[in-house]
Amino acid sequence: MKRQIPLVLVFIFGMLLAIQYFVPSEPSQRGYEFVLDWITIIGIFAMVLGIWSQVHVGWSKIKHRSENWQYSIVALVSMFAMIAFGLSPFGGLQGTIFRLIYNNVFIPIQATIFSLLAFYIASASYRAFRARSAVSTVLLVAALLLMLRVLPMGPLADPISSIGSWMLLVPNLAAKRAIAIGVGLGGVATALKIVLGIERSYLGKD
Amino acid sequence: MTSKTAMRILTAIVALIFLISWIMKSGSGMSDSAFTNVRDGFLVTFAVFLTLSIFSFLYRDNPFYKFAESLYVGISAGYWMCYGFWSTVVGNFVPRASRSLSEFFHVPYQEHADHILIYIPIIFGLILLTRLLPKIGWLSRWSLAFIIGATAGLNLTRYLRSDFISQVSNSFIPLFVDWKGVGDFVNHISLAADGQFIAILSNWVIFVGVMCGLVYFFFSKEHKGAFGVASRVGIWILMVTFGASFGYTVMGRISLLVGRITFLFGDWLNIL
Amino acid sequence: MKYIILLFLTCLSLCLSQAILAQTASSDPPAEAALVPSEPPAPPGNLTLKDLPNDDGHGIAVKWDLSPDDGAGAKSVISYDIYRSLSPDAPDSLWKKAGTVVLGVKSYADKGNRESDNDDYLPKKTNLYYRVYAVGAGVRSVAAAAGPVQAYDNWFNTLKVPELIFCVVFLILTVRFINMAKRGIDLYVRPLAGIEAIDEAIGRATEMGKPILYCLGIGTAGDIATIASFTILGRVARKVAEYQTSMIVPCIDPIVMTIAQETVKAGYADAGRPDAYKEDSVYYVTSQQFPYVAAVNGTIIREKPATNIYLGYFLAESLLLAETGVMAGSIQIAGTDQVSQLPFFVVACDYTLLGEELYAASAYLGREPLLLGTLKAQDYLKAIALVCIFALLALRVFTGADVIHKPFDMPWW
């Protein structure tokens, strides 16, 4: 019962949704939209589990005075404050304080984390330039050509730009196509394994 | 000097700079209201503090980064929960479930919605919450089974057109473009981007690339002999692609920094 | 070196931002060409209607012959307007405009809405009438009219026959190879360096007394890459339990967290160590990309895991995670089906599973007949695709025939 019913549910809903793809009729489309809605609504209940996990982990750190327990207080207080402001009937997501916090705390941090990519890509490039094999040399040369495209290279600018554009259009397309075909097959195989119950580790153990 | 003392001195310096910046930004505010200037001055200074705290991670982990990270994670979790509540519960569920709730939340009640069916995900959701009770926590697998089964069923077919069939059908490209014979080809050979030679070369590279790329992804045959050579060519084509993608995104990633630098040197320090 | 890069980037950014701020651009919108009234064009001819195939019963296919004035002369047609009504004699106000197409186009798929309270509602199994006007510059022709026609549900989408054939072939191959594997026939699987490294990486973590970080990516439980990652997580959890190491699994989605908890718990139970499983080792962080990355980065730097495993759906945060792992000195094994992120993993990680290798990994780790059977079926389908591409290209080269696009791109009319 603990595993049989879930396996049956997986099979039924998996097959229904797979068959639905081939059936364009109105009941089929409505069924498809229902299922998508249901998944979204269940996601709200799952959020309760998320809050519970955060509170549980944070409280545990605070109670046992684990390393960096003070920051768990910051995380929990800010989360509950945001929830309080956001769920308030006076404005909700458009409330003044909610938007102030979002625009002046969340957005600057988000933009800064995103901008860290500039530093990380520079350090990744530096490491990539120490090519240790023929294959990584190929990667390095291709990367260099594309990077040199945007720099003023004098008489070499046009040839480098042409080669770079050609590389982005031709071998790039070939490799992406080969990967996409493989990914498509792999995705279908994985989905089939789940629906047929071949893969069932997600159901846990009795 | 111990690291704790150094940290305390650093914190004091940061607090002092924060205060000075707040005062100066409040003083240079454009609004008539003193409260607005003080508030905006604080917000800009706090945003700068958070920005520099995140950047400090590049040097090493430190209390400023930890504070900014915890604040960010907490605000994000709270934001997402509020967003989920207003968009899904109030926007999606309430208009179909209850007229009185729809009136309370000022959302239009859907007369023709299937009101009974909307309670099925509610039941699944409540079953999911049994996870919090150890004795009956196994019931939550039913909800997980529904989600996993439904999404697996969706993925079973929806990848086929875009990731397999379209890709295979688009691989049937002409290998000899505008072919009028070897003589004509040799006479008009050139490296022009729109020329016949480049078009034929490109199509052959695509053909060989796709074939050898697929050979590389063969798992049930040892990559030896001719098969191994094809696999090797495949991985080389893949590496050219990865290198090209990497090089192409470098400048894009670096430009992400421009916004932050403009904020720091423009909005804060008024240098730019 | 780090500081030189920092200084260089700061100078570059200052220069770039100056350049951006200095840029101004303006352009005036072009003046609109004045419409010159002219005589109405001739109407389109031979208006035919039929139920739109492969739809939900709220669509009609409208087809006509081009107006003689289409693209020619002073009465030149600019577009065609299509109108719909429930009665042929309805007043003009009750004719609903279904759509407009440009000159030269002689068909239109009128896909109405299925909700009766919607303005564009197109009822099923009800007589409908259509008018098509040829529209010139400020004038339109008399209507070409036709009807009645009724829209019906369709119960099979004929355009998806290739997918159906594929599914059936895949299923047959899968069943065949599963049976072969169950009979004990050895099905060879080539080594995957990334997966072979997992054992070594877990051993390293045990020796160092450090945990293993397993990141499922930023996908939800609906993403197939995340589902594939769950299958590997279970096996990794089992090995971790056998080696008596600890594991950290930060999750971006509460449902992913729930499934991951079940999976890891099952892995520990399979290894005979259910008591060693700690619920707090698999936890929810937040549902957004960059806060999640910030938290995981902080965990990597503080916990200093010996091994980082990134398997699943990743976007821009892939480089952030991988570089932080390099800073922490971890061995890193990554795998994703996102082609755009593979370059960053290849550059920053020690081992990378490319695309389909992520999906094959569970078969490789488990070596179960059922899993090996599906992997073989995948390979056979790849071989079929290869042979098809090769054979049909050869056909095209030697005969010039382009046969393949017809079956795949069947027209709806």
Side-chain angles (χ1 to χ4, degrees):
Chain A
M1 171 112 151
K2 285 184 181 179
R3 295 193 95 195
Q4 273 73 37
I5 292 181
L7 282 172
V8 167
L9 283 172
V10 165
F11 181 78
I12 289 172
F13 283 103
M15 290 312 292
L16 279 174
L17 268 291
I19 291 167
Q20 184 281 327
Y21 179 76
F22 299 100
V23 181
S25 71
E26 186 176 343
S28 166
Q29 295 304 316
R30 285 197 188 276
Y32 169 72
E33 285 160 19
F34 267 129
V35 169
L36 291 184
D37 277 343
W38 292 357
I39 291 173
T40 313
I41 290 170
I42 295 172
I44 296 298
F45 288 88
M47 258 200 244
V48 174
L49 293 178
I51 298 176
W52 166 252
S53 170
Q54 281 199 316
V55 169
H56 186 254
V57 168
W59 181 247
S60 179
K61 279 188 186 165
I62 295 167
K63 202 166 81 168
H64 296 114
R65 295 292 192 266
S66 311
E67 207 180 338
N68 299 315
W69 64 271
Q70 303 91 331
Y71 303 102
S72 298
I73 299 177
V74 173
L76 290 176
V77 166
S78 56
M79 180 177 75
F80 284 116
M82 203 64 175
I83 290 174
F85 292 130
L87 293 186
S88 129
F90 307 105
L93 290 181
Q94 304 308 319
T96 311
I97 300 177
F98 188 85
R99 292 241 62 96
L100 263 177
I101 297 173
Y102 183 76
N103 291 332
N104 295 285
V105 178
F106 186 88
I107 297 288
I109 299 180
Q110 173 145 298
T112 312
I113 299 238
F114 207 10
S115 71
L116 289 179
L117 278 169
F119 300 97
Y120 284 151
I121 205 162
S123 85
S125 306
Y126 169 69
R127 265 207 329 286
F129 289 171
R130 293 178 296 162
R132 270 164 280 180
S133 64
V135 166
S136 53
T137 308
V138 168
L139 189 148
L140 157 66
V141 168
L144 260 174
L145 272 167
L146 267 293
M147 283 191 236
L148 291 174
R149 267 176 89 211
V150 295
L151 295 177
M153 299 292 294
L156 291 176
D158 279 340
I160 288 176
S161 177
S162 303
I163 294 171
S165 304
W166 182 84
M167 274 167 54
L168 281 173
L169 279 173
V170 179
N172 196 28
L173 173 66
K176 283 185 177 171
R177 194 164 278 167
I179 293 175
I181 291 172
V183 162
L185 284 170
V188 170
T190 304
L192 198 63
K193 283 187 279 191
I194 298 285
V195 170
L196 295 178
I198 296 171
E199 277 286 1
R200 48 180 86 172
S201 57
Y202 58 90
L203 286 179
K205 264 277 198 261
D206 286 335
Chain B
M1 187 191 292
T2 63
S3 63
K4 260 193 178 166
T5 315
M7 202 63 230
R8 283 192 185 127
I9 294 171
L10 182 62
T11 309
I13 294 170
V14 167
L16 186 63
I17 295 173
F18 190 102
L19 209 55
I20 294 169
S21 165
W22 184 5
I23 293 166
M24 290 184 70
K25 293 309 285 186
S26 304
S28 62
M30 306 294 276
S31 170
D32 292 332
S33 159
F35 170 75
T36 306
N37 288 332
V38 168
R39 183 198 69 186
D40 291 348
F42 173 79
L43 290 172
V44 168
T45 307
F46 192 52
V48 169
F49 165 73
L50 294 172
T51 301
L52 294 174
S53 299
I54 298 293
F55 277 141
S56 68
F57 183 71
L58 293 167
Y59 178 59
R60 55 189 265 190
D61 192 27
N62 58 81
F64 300 111
Y65 175 79
K66 289 178 198 174
F67 170 76
E69 175 207 315
S70 312
L71 189 67
Y72 188 37
V73 168
I75 287 174
S76 158
Y79 175 84
W80 200 250
M81 278 157 209
C82 296
Y83 181 82
F85 174 77
W86 289 108
S87 66
T88 304
V89 175
V90 174
N92 198 344
F93 169 69
V94 162
R96 288 191 269 181
S98 159
R99 186 188 294 276
S100 49
L101 275 177
S102 301
E103 282 165 9
F104 178 76
F105 284 110
H106 305 293
V107 289
Y109 178 65
Q110 288 179 19
E111 297 281 354
H112 303 292
D114 295 304
H115 306 294
I116 303 293
L117 287 175
I118 204 68
Y119 286 98
I120 295 177
I122 301 297
I123 296 167
F124 271 123
L126 290 170
I127 291 174
L128 185 65
L129 291 181
T130 59
R131 190 154 184 81
L132 298 171
L133 306 165
K135 284 216 167 93
I136 54 169
W138 57 269
L139 272 173
S140 62
R141 291 175 194 171
W142 293 11
S143 301
L144 297 179
F146 162 72
I147 292 170
I148 293 270
T151 51
L154 285 170
N155 287 309
L156 191 59
T157 45
R158 273 151 185 87
Y159 271 109
L160 288 177
R161 173 65 57 167
S162 61
D163 278 3
F164 186 74
I165 291 172
S166 293
Q167 299 299 333
V168 171
S169 77
N170 289 337
S171 300
F172 302 119
I173 44 177
L175 292 177
F176 295 97
V177 180
D178 297 332
W179 190 254
K180 294 180 183 112
V182 176
D184 180 74
F185 173 71
V186 169
N187 287 338
H188 293 100
I189 205 165
S190 81
L191 289 177
D194 54 354
Q196 188 187 21
F197 174 70
I198 294 295
I200 291 176
L201 175 70
S202 302
N203 284 357
W204 272 94
V205 168
I206 291 174
F207 166 64
V208 169
V210 172
M211 301 285 271
C212 294
L214 285 176
V215 166
Y216 172 76
F217 286 114
F218 257 78
F219 301 107
S220 12
K221 190 169 166 21
E222 215 173 336
H223 290 185
K224 281 202 305 202
F227 208 77
V229 170
S231 166
R232 199 90 193 133
V233 171
I235 192 65
W236 280 49
I237 302 261
L238 287 170
M239 287 300 138
V240 166
T241 299
F242 295 152
S245 298
F246 188 87
Y248 186 65
T249 51
V250 164
M251 291 316 286
R253 297 283 192 250
I254 288 176
S255 70
L256 292 171
L257 191 53
V258 170
R260 288 291 91 200
I261 299 293
T262 310
F263 169 70
L264 288 172
F265 287 88
D267 295 343
W268 185 45
L269 294 175
N270 291 325
I271 292 175
L272 293 176
Chain C
M1 185 68 201
K2 246 194 295 198
Y3 305 117
I4 294 170
I5 293 172
L6 211 64
L7 191 61
F8 166 71
L9 286 170
T10 310
C11 295
L12 182 66
S13 311
L14 276 167
C15 297
L16 280 170
S17 44
Q18 280 283 46
I20 288 165
L21 284 167
Q23 263 178 15
T24 52
S26 66
S27 59
D28 295 321
E32 281 189 14
L35 282 174
V36 176
S38 55
E39 284 181 42
N46 195 23
L47 179 63
T48 45
L49 308 168
K50 73 181 222 185
D51 172 46
L52 196 64
N54 305 318
D55 76 332
D56 61 355
H58 296 277
I60 296 289
V62 186
K63 200 173 174 189
W64 58 89
D65 290 341
L66 294 176
S67 160
D69 293 318
D70 189 295
K75 296 186 280 183
S76 179
V77 169
I78 298 169
S79 60
Y80 295 91
D81 285 347
I82 302 103
Y83 285 80
R84 174 180 80 223
S85 174
L86 294 170
S87 162
D89 304 316
D92 284 351
S93 58
L94 290 182
W95 283 85
K96 164 109 185 60
K97 189 172 184 181
T100 300
V101 295
V102 296
L103 75 154
V105 175
K106 44 188 184 178
S107 61
Y108 179 70
D110 181 17
K111 294 177 190 171
N113 197 283
R114 62 174 191 236
E115 301 300 339
S116 55
D117 53 358
N118 189 287
D119 274 344
D120 195 29
Y121 175 55
L122 194 152
K124 264 197 285 197
K125 296 177 194 167
T126 307
N127 283 343
L128 297 167
Y129 299 84
Y130 279 82
R131 285 179 182 170
V132 178
Y133 298 89
V135 179
V139 289
R140 70 179 188 186
S141 68
V142 294
V149 66
Q150 291 191 355
Y152 293 94
D153 271 316
N154 300 112
W155 291 91
F156 181 73
N157 191 331
T158 53
L159 293 176
K160 292 180 180 172
V161 166
E163 284 99 317
L164 185 63
I165 294 171
F166 170 90
C167 285
V168 169
V169 169
F170 193 82
L171 207 53
I172 293 169
L173 286 171
T174 304
V175 169
R176 177 171 176 254
F177 285 111
I178 286 174
N179 287 335
M180 278 174 65
K182 277 184 179 171
R183 286 203 304 268
I185 295 171
D186 184 38
L187 298 177
Y188 171 81
V189 180
R190 73 165 169 86
L192 288 175
I195 297 301
E196 287 192 321
I198 285 181
D199 259 342
E200 176 203 321
I202 296 174
R204 179 179 185 256
T206 312
E207 279 168 32
M208 291 171 70
K210 293 284 184 187
I212 286 161
L213 181 106
Y214 192 107
C215 184
L216 289 146
I218 62 164
T220 61
D223 292 305
I224 202 68
T226 311
I227 296 176
S229 190
F230 285 137
T231 62
I232 303 166
L233 173 63
R235 289 163 178 85
V236 168
R238 182 180 175 160
K239 285 192 197 287
V240 164
E242 284 169 6
Y243 280 72
Q244 299 181 38
T245 319
S246 58
M247 209 169 166
I248 305 171
V249 186
C251 302
I252 196 171
D253 183 75
I255 296 180
V256 168
M257 174 199 74
T258 313
I259 298 170
Q261 283 173 342
E262 288 288 333
T263 306
V264 172
K265 207 158 124 185
Y268 274 73
D270 281 342
R273 304 199 65 234
D275 48 309
Y277 167 67
K278 287 185 208 137
E279 186 100 9
D280 288 351
S281 62
V282 183
Y283 57 95
Y284 168 76
V285 180
T286 177
S287 292
Q288 289 180 296
Q289 182 187 13
F290 287 110
Y292 173 74
V293 165
V296 176
N297 278 356
T299 304
I300 292 173
I301 286 295
R302 278 158 229 151
E303 301 293 331
K304 295 228 180 327
T307 302
N308 296 338
I309 301 177
Y310 312 115
L311 296 172
Y313 177 81
F314 290 88
L315 293 174
E317 75 288 347
S318 57
L319 187 61
L320 290 168
L321 291 169
E323 281 297 304
T324 308
V326 169
M327 279 160 58
S330 314
I331 281 186
Q332 302 198 100
I333 301 167
T336 181
D337 59 353
Q338 294 301 300
V339 181
S340 54
Q341 305 310 314
L342 283 170
F344 305 115
F345 277 145
V346 165
V347 165
C349 295
D350 299 283
Y351 303 93
T352 308
L353 300 175
L354 310 174
E356 197 188 352
E357 290 177 345
L358 173 66
Y359 300 112
S362 67
Y364 189 81
L365 275 169
R367 294 278 179 181
E368 290 148 27
L370 299 176
L371 298 174
L372 291 174
T374 46
L375 191 60
K376 267 290 199 204
Q378 272 173 252
D379 273 355
Y380 262 68
L381 268 158
K382 262 194 295 265
I384 291 170
L386 265 172
V387 166
C388 281
I389 294 171
F390 194 78
L392 287 159
L393 270 173
L395 188 72
R396 189 171 186 169
V397 165
F398 293 111
T399 68
D402 181 10
V403 299
I404 197 54
H405 288 106
K406 287 181 189 144
F408 284 114
D409 302 321
M410 290 193 296
W412 54 262
W413 183 262

